[in-house]
Amino acid sequence: MSTLVVPGVRVEAQFDVLPPLPAPSGIIGIAGVVDRPPVTTRLIGVSKVSELKQLIGPGTIHSMKEAVHALSNGASEVIVSAVSGGSAAILTLLNEDSVPAVLLKCRFNRKWADKLSAEVRTIRDALGNIVRVTLYLIVDGAAVETFPDLRVAPGQPDDLFDTINQKSNLVVALDAGFQNALPAEGTYIFDAPGTPINVLVDGDTSTLFQLLPKEDAEPDGLRAVLTVSDSTSTINIKVYRGAALQEELAGLTMNPDSDLYLPFVLLAKSSLIRIRAASSLAAGKRLPTATSGPVIFTDGTSPGANDYNDAIDLLTEDPRIDLICASIEPARADNEVIQIHQSLVAHAVKMADDGSPCIAFGSVTPTEAASLDKIKDHASAVRNRRFVLIAPSRAEGAVAGMVGRMNPKESPTFKTVPLFDINPSSYRESELNRLLSSTTNLLVVQERAGRGIVVLRALNTIGDQISVTRVADKAIRETKAISENFIGQLNSEDARTALKQQIFATLTRMEREGAIVPSTDGKDPAFIVDVYSTQQDFAQGIVRIDIAIRPVRAIDYIYATIRVKN
């Protein structure tokens, strides 16, 4: 403050450090394969299942079912870290002349191991010509998608390519003769009647598609300039009327699994032009012939365990995440699943050390589920306070969503869990005695007579209750958020007192909520707080906080004694 020269009064206002808002909970980070990975490596947050389709593609609904289950079970937000690597499975359907007619390509990268197949059935006219086909997409022997009575009729609601590309969560359909084809660059000028203009395949004489003016657009003087980027194979379209630029659509692609697919973008965003798809085959030869049974997709490969590790590391960018898991396909080898789960453990421990603790969830593999010894080995390999191993297989998303919905102080034990398309475990009582004991500490989701499908006991792999860890994590996050606001303040008695008061107020709130409790005999308080700085700490700019809390515990067992009196 400057010194007064002329007599007067100068007033300086000093504001106290504001307490932060309570730390959020129930935010789940999931690493997995998605349909449309972001162009730049980044996390994508979603709060509804519909946003999964909109932001990272419809195939994500199938490739990352854990995210769907978590959101459906009440998670407030899911943070997706896309796993790169692998390749998509494909299947070529032939016409009656044994010529490739339709190429089906999986929307996401995965090795299906003979689990994904397609079957085609045909309808013929009186002359024996194929006029319509019905396509079945089959996973694990069950038809999961059916597209009846399709034909090749661009622009019509029953067109084979448009129907599959817009409605299937598993595959896209391409004209087999136009695989990887790009349009020829050029300036396309409409005449006064608006006659359709043929756009050829680059370097070929085949017509890839036709450009047409929109129904309500005046074609006279309208021209479209089409350019293709050699480095990215993306297409840019500029539409002029005379010399004036009317529209510009950039970064378009001929990949129907992209949100920048050229026909869809023109349909949705252009007010002047549209396109009509062409075919590489002659009329009457464009539909595939019937298959003798399900035909298996080939060439698909899955990302490696190291690719999952990279995606898990990316979750560190969002410190709000307090629950994490990985979406792993059922066919992956057991040792790779354990390796991915160990990456989750390492991530959770690191985040706890950084003051942003989280709990990792994983499930046993389908081959492990029937072997108690394999389950025990799996649990031993990931044994940590911050890891929860679950049975049945692939139930981690559903359980994490249910846990995220609950208040941290509440235990999931004996709470119902919707598993959707996953069958609950069915272990005998003698098997449960081993799985729930301290040698394994498995979180088992199983049907219980009179209660439905429930978590039998909510344990991490060291045998402690999940709710205890969540309450401790909440105290860690609250303490860190409060303390960070005091960095840069003077290390005075007043500042240390203010810091202590804010932490005390937060822990008092947690006690009143029932998250932390006094000892059962009432002699020890629910928490103790001390904030101090020794003379050496003072010289080094250090303030120390010592806190002791007692998280509330759930009732896991009740022992009743009944005395029968005469």
Side-chain angles (χ1 to χ4, degrees):
M1 178 184 292
S2 59
T3 304
L4 291 173
V5 177
V6 179
V9 177
R10 183 178 298 278
V11 179
E12 179 183 9
Q14 295 183 348
F15 294 91
D16 289 340
V17 176
L18 289 174
L21 293 172
S25 62
I27 299 176
I28 302 177
I30 300 182
V33 175
V34 303
D35 179 358
R36 299 171 184 168
V39 178
T40 57
T41 304
R42 61 185 178 89
L43 299 176
I44 299 174
V46 297
S47 58
K48 296 182 294 185
V49 174
S50 60
E51 290 180 345
L52 286 172
K53 298 181 68 172
Q54 295 168 2
L55 298 177
I56 44 183
T60 308
I61 300 298
H62 195 94
S63 68
M64 194 178 280
K65 288 187 176 181
E66 287 80 0
V68 176
H69 296 166
L71 289 169
S72 301
N73 272 0
S76 59
E77 186 176 357
V78 166
I79 309 299
V80 176
S81 179
V83 177
S84 60
S87 60
I90 59 173
L91 173 63
T92 301
L93 300 177
L94 308 179
N95 65 10
E96 286 191 306
D97 296 335
S98 298
V99 174
V102 177
L103 176 68
L104 299 179
K105 183 178 180 181
C106 186
R107 288 185 179 271
F108 47 89
N109 298 343
R110 173 180 293 183
K111 180 181 179 181
W112 283 94
D114 301 339
K115 292 181 178 294
L116 176 63
S117 58
E119 183 174 356
V120 178
R121 298 177 185 175
T122 58
I123 298 176
R124 298 177 181 268
D125 60 15
L127 299 177
N129 299 315
I130 299 174
V131 293
R132 290 186 182 271
V133 299
T134 296
L135 175 68
Y136 299 89
L137 294 175
I138 301 165
V139 177
D140 286 331
V144 295
E145 291 183 346
T146 302
F147 303 98
D149 299 333
L150 302 178
R151 56 185 177 134
V152 176
Q156 299 302 311
D158 55 355
D159 177 62
L160 183 149
F161 297 100
D162 287 348
T163 299
I164 294 175
N165 292 337
Q166 294 181 33
K167 295 182 179 181
S168 175
N169 291 332
L170 278 172
V171 301
V172 292
L174 299 163
D175 187 317
F178 288 151
Q179 184 181 2
N180 302 322
L182 292 172
E185 293 183 325
T187 299
Y188 300 92
I189 303 173
F190 291 97
D191 57 19
T195 305
I197 304 173
N198 292 334
V199 177
L200 305 182
V201 175
D202 187 30
D204 199 347
T205 58
S206 303
T207 299
L208 182 61
F209 56 77
Q210 291 182 317
L211 287 177
L212 300 89
K214 276 286 182 69
E215 290 77 3
D216 54 351
E218 173 57 47
D220 193 21
L222 199 64
R223 60 188 174 96
V225 178
L226 191 150
T227 58
V228 180
S229 170
D230 293 333
S231 59
T232 62
S233 298
T234 55
I235 305 160
N236 299 325
I237 298 178
K238 294 182 179 180
V239 183
Y240 295 86
R241 187 175 295 281
L245 178 64
Q246 302 292 308
E247 291 179 348
E248 182 174 1
L249 302 169
L252 308 183
T253 176
M254 294 306 294
N255 176 15
D257 193 27
S258 170
D259 55 354
L260 293 175
Y261 183 43
L262 190 149
F264 292 168
V265 173
L266 288 184
L267 179 65
K269 296 184 177 181
S270 176
S271 59
L272 296 173
I273 62 173
R274 61 185 178 90
I275 75 168
R276 179 188 296 157
S279 177
S280 64
L281 298 174
K285 304 293 183 180
R286 298 170 181 173
L287 287 172
T289 189
T291 59
S292 57
V295 183
I296 296 171
F297 280 67
T298 60
D299 298 338
T301 58
S302 296
N306 290 334
D307 296 319
Y308 272 88
N309 187 45
D310 293 340
I312 292 168
D313 286 344
L314 186 63
L315 293 172
T316 57
E317 295 188 0
D318 194 336
R320 301 175 305 143
I321 296 171
D322 61 334
L323 307 170
I324 60 171
C325 65
S327 178
I328 308 172
E329 72 269 26
R332 189 174 288 270
D334 293 354
N335 63 319
E336 292 186 359
V337 173
I338 293 175
Q339 185 178 345
I340 295 169
H341 286 173
Q342 289 173 334
S343 296
L344 290 173
V345 173
H347 173 83
V349 171
K350 180 182 184 300
M351 295 304 291
D353 292 342
D354 293 341
S356 301
C358 58
I359 300 174
F361 293 80
S363 66
V364 298
T365 67
T367 56
E368 290 174 342
S371 171
L372 273 60
D373 290 334
K374 288 184 178 180
I375 293 176
K376 180 181 177 181
D377 291 342
H378 191 155
S380 298
V382 293
R383 186 177 177 85
N384 192 278
R385 172 178 293 279
R386 301 205 164 273
F387 192 84
V388 179
L389 185 62
I390 302 166
S393 178
R394 302 205 72 185
E396 55 262 58
V399 173
M402 182 265 283
V403 172
R405 181 187 71 240
M406 301 172 64
N407 191 300
K409 67 180 181 180
E410 297 176 3
S411 173
T413 298
F414 262 47
K415 305 298 191 301
T416 57
V417 186
L419 292 182
F420 307 98
D421 56 347
I422 302 171
N423 294 322
S425 299
S426 57
Y427 295 110
R428 303 189 311 274
E429 198 73 15
S430 60
E431 293 174 323
L432 291 175
N433 288 338
R434 288 183 58 186
L435 295 175
L436 300 182
S437 70
S438 58
T439 59
T440 306
N441 296 316
L442 184 70
L443 188 152
V444 179
V445 180
Q446 187 160 312
E447 188 170 2
R448 191 79 168 185
R451 301 195 66 91
I453 298 173
V454 299
V455 173
L456 292 185
R457 194 173 177 218
L459 300 172
N460 54 35
T461 47
I462 69 166
D464 205 0
Q465 294 181 358
I466 295 173
S467 57
V468 172
T469 305
R470 294 193 74 204
V471 170
D473 289 353
K474 182 176 177 65
I476 293 171
R477 288 176 176 272
E478 299 277 10
T479 301
K480 180 184 179 183
I482 293 169
S483 301
E484 284 181 338
N485 286 342
F486 282 84
I487 294 177
Q489 300 294 315
L490 296 179
N491 191 356
S492 63
E493 184 66 28
D494 287 345
R496 293 193 296 272
T497 300
L499 174 58
K500 181 176 181 178
Q501 287 175 341
Q502 288 195 18
I503 295 175
F504 193 93
T506 295
L507 296 178
T508 299
R509 185 186 74 238
M510 291 179 64
E511 181 180 9
R512 290 178 176 175
E513 292 173 349
I516 53 179
V517 293
S519 60
T520 55
D521 60 9
K523 293 181 179 179
D524 290 333
F527 65 91
I528 301 173
V529 181
D530 188 18
V531 178
Y532 62 94
S533 182
T534 66
Q535 189 58 43
Q536 184 177 357
D537 290 337
F538 180 82
Q540 297 174 343
I542 297 173
V543 171
R544 300 185 186 275
I545 305 171
D546 290 340
I547 300 174
I549 63 171
R550 181 179 289 104
V552 66
R553 288 182 176 270
I555 300 172
D556 281 346
Y557 310 101
I558 296 177
Y559 294 93
T561 300
I562 300 176
R563 178 185 177 189
V564 181
K565 301 178 68 175
N566 292 326

